[in-house]
Amino acid sequence: MGLRYVWSELVHRPQRSIVAIISIALGVALYLSLQAYAEGYQNAARTPLTEIGADLVVQREGDIPDAFEGIVFPHSTAPIGEEEVAALREVEGVEEVGEALFFWSFESDPFLVGLGIDPEESFGPGRLRTAIREGRFLEAGDTGVAVADSSYADQYQLQIGDTVQISGEAFQLVGLADTSRVGNVANANLYLPIADVNRMVHAAPQVQSVYTLDEQVTNLLFVKADSAQASLVADNLKQLLGERSLVTTPQSFEDVFGTTFQLIDRFGLLVGFSCLFLALLGLLRVVVGGLTERRRDVGIMRAVGWRKREIVRQISRESLVLVAVGWSIGVIAAIGIAYVLSYFTVSIPVPWELSPTPHFMAGGAKSLALTVTMQASVQPLGIAGTGVLCLLAGWVLSWWLARRAANMKPVEVLRSE
Amino acid sequence: MNKVLEAQGIVKSYSNVQVVRDGHLHIYPGEFVSIVGRSGSGKSTLLYLLAGLEKADRGEIHYKGRVITGLNEEQLAVWRRDNIGIVFQNFNLIPTLTALENVSFPLYPSKMPASERRQKAMTMLEQVGLADRAHNRPHQLSGGEQQRVSIARSLVCQPSILFADEPTGNLDSDTGDRIMDLFLQLREDHQLALFIVTHDEEKVAARADRRIEMKDGRTYSDEIWEDAK
Ligand SMILES: Nc1ncnc2c1ncn2[C@@H]1O[C@H](COP(=O)(O)OP(=O)(O)OP(=O)(O)O)[C@@H](O)[C@H]1O
Ligand SMILES: [Mg+2]
């Protein structure tokens, strides 16, 4: 029927059409790209932990030893007791727990950060398997061997086959790993079998002076948890391990992004909806303006025998076309913005506690940063949602306005005086 | 002969002022009736009442024996589309549509295929001599041409009465003459009754079969045409 007329109206009153289209497009684009932006940051915040394959990292603050000699625990990795670990495995939502043993060694030359790991574990530092650059990764039953971080090895010209002395024990290098590829969480210079580290730790006076140790010592836990419950699990773990526990979740990284992100994350939906709302107000303005301008046209429609519902249908169609075009442009713009955002990188500061190096070492007090690309994308659900919302609101709005306009008395506008 | 339209005792007031009081008139098929009278005498109001654009406070209007005064707005709209055409002094074309589209405008809500609609509109445009301006929009046409388009529009649904409110009022006298020629020609071709409100006694009213004069809302008929029958 009047599609030709719809087209003529929109094309021959370009200013009005453009204003409506732009306001809808802006609203939709803003809404969708805000969501994409927030999602990009959320994804970024998840990377430090996803890169090591865990959902939570659990530590506990402890005490500073009298002297930094031999093997020492950084104060952010105090031992967690065997019973506590057992209890922790029972917490609802916890799926798997991986244990590691983090230490500083001042006796070796040079100073090194070590991490005792269970090579069989597929997550946590076990992930380093994928980052081996040369040689091999640790294997079950290994003893007296180690894998070095490749940049540390480069710095001290260490090669596969060389030995490193720690507390009088010799460790032969069997592999070099590019740890920077696996995030900056629990980074160490040297990765050793956890049993070897456990033995050395029990013999370390500066550990014994501050802590009483269980037979099997651990001070860094990697937890896989039901991701839907991650924050609840984190709360439960904190409760279990007491006030000094440090539980790192994706949320903890979001917290360091600063206020802009937090505002968008928390109020993004609100802001987005406000944008859409404003867009619909823009449409309202245009439709109202158009109908005032077109009172005479509506009078003519009535005079030549259009029924009210036919007039309403005509006017609603015009608005729906504007909404549909505006929405499409908005979606395309949002996809473009998300594409541009994906070229941006986000620098995620990794708290010192997660990869502690002594403050008195060069660069030791600095927290590391992990640089990741924004994984921002426009969600199909958002596209569909804004589409339905805009079309529905546009239709209701224009139907209501057109209904009012069609109720006019044609004679009022048709009298020539 | 059966009357195509008949009004009896119609009354219309605007804010307690009776603008049409006791209007009586009738039109036969193919008859040309002109309405004259001083400004403000109620001519336009009478026309709007007869065309179903206004509702009479009292009185009855019959169209081909059917009472239309009781119809609701939607029924009146359909009645207008199917039975009458209206032409205004200021043409009242849709500014965004071409001449051809304006002519087919009354057909837009119908389910008629677009090609048939175009065909009908084109035939009407040919009859008013504007086939070559079919794709021009109103602002590209002269006043006389715009009035021709609006006449073509009023006839596209093949009405039996055409109402016109001072159709030559906005045109110069030559153009007005030619519009009147067109009206009379169309009356011949389509067996059309013409009901034309005018100020122009000489060029419009003089060519009518019958003249009805309005004074203070009352109708005074000189029954020339009827007498001649
Ligand atoms: N909506 C209205 N409200 C109040 N008064 C009205 C309204 N419409 C018309 N009138 C009055 O009704 C009277 C008749 O108006 P009408 O337009 O029918 O006169 P007319 O004979 O067509 O005059 P003209 O020759 O100037 O066109 C006028 O006095 C006019 O002011
Ligand atoms: Mg008048």
Side-chain angles (χ1 to χ4, degrees), chain A residues 415 417, chain B residues 14 19 38-45 166 199:
Chain A
R415 277 185 186 275
E417 294 82 51
Chain B
Y14 287 121
V19 175
R38 291 228 311 269
S39 183
S41 56
K43 305 184 295 295
S44 296
T45 307
E166 313 217 19
H199 269 120

Side-chain angles (χ1 to χ4, degrees), chain A residues 4 9 296 302 308 415, chain B residues 45 73 80 92 96 101:
Chain A
R4 171 77 222 160
E9 272 304 317
R296 204 174 58 95
R302 295 280 303 273
K308 285 180 191 171
R415 277 185 186 275
Chain B
T45 307
E73 285 188 339
R80 270 198 300 280
N92 278 332
T96 56
E101 289 161 351

Side-chain angles (χ1 to χ4, degrees), chain A residues 22-68:
Chain A
I22 287 180
S23 74
I24 298 281
L26 266 181
V28 170
L30 266 169
Y31 176 84
L32 290 177
S33 46
L34 270 176
Q35 300 307 312
Y37 183 77
E39 196 210 47
Y41 263 103
Q42 272 160 5
N43 285 339
R46 227 168 277 133
T47 30
L49 292 180
T50 45
E51 286 201 343
I52 56 164
D55 299 297
L56 305 151
V57 173
V58 179
Q59 296 157 264
R60 181 155 58 198
E61 296 237 33
D63 303 313
I64 298 169
D66 308 331
F68 288 104

Side-chain angles (χ1 to χ4, degrees), chain B residues 61-114:
Chain B
I61 300 168
H62 298 254
Y63 174 79
K64 292 185 173 170
R66 175 179 165 210
V67 182
I68 60 155
T69 15
L71 299 181
N72 66 28
E73 285 188 339
E74 298 292 79
Q75 292 166 325
L76 276 173
V78 176
W79 171 76
R80 270 198 300 280
R81 184 174 63 204
D82 295 342
N83 301 289
I84 68 166
I86 309 176
V87 170
F88 301 92
Q89 179 175 352
N90 56 356
F91 326 130
N92 278 332
L93 298 175
I94 305 288
T96 56
L97 297 180
T98 64
L100 185 68
E101 289 161 351
N102 262 293
V103 174
S104 55
F105 195 66
L107 300 171
Y108 274 172
S110 73
K111 294 215 155 56
M112 185 183 293

Side-chain angles (χ1 to χ4, degrees), chain B residues 152-166:
Chain B
R153 176 181 67 190
S154 73
L155 296 180
V156 76
C157 291
Q158 286 150 339
S160 36
I161 312 181
L162 196 147
F163 292 95
D165 194 355
E166 313 217 19

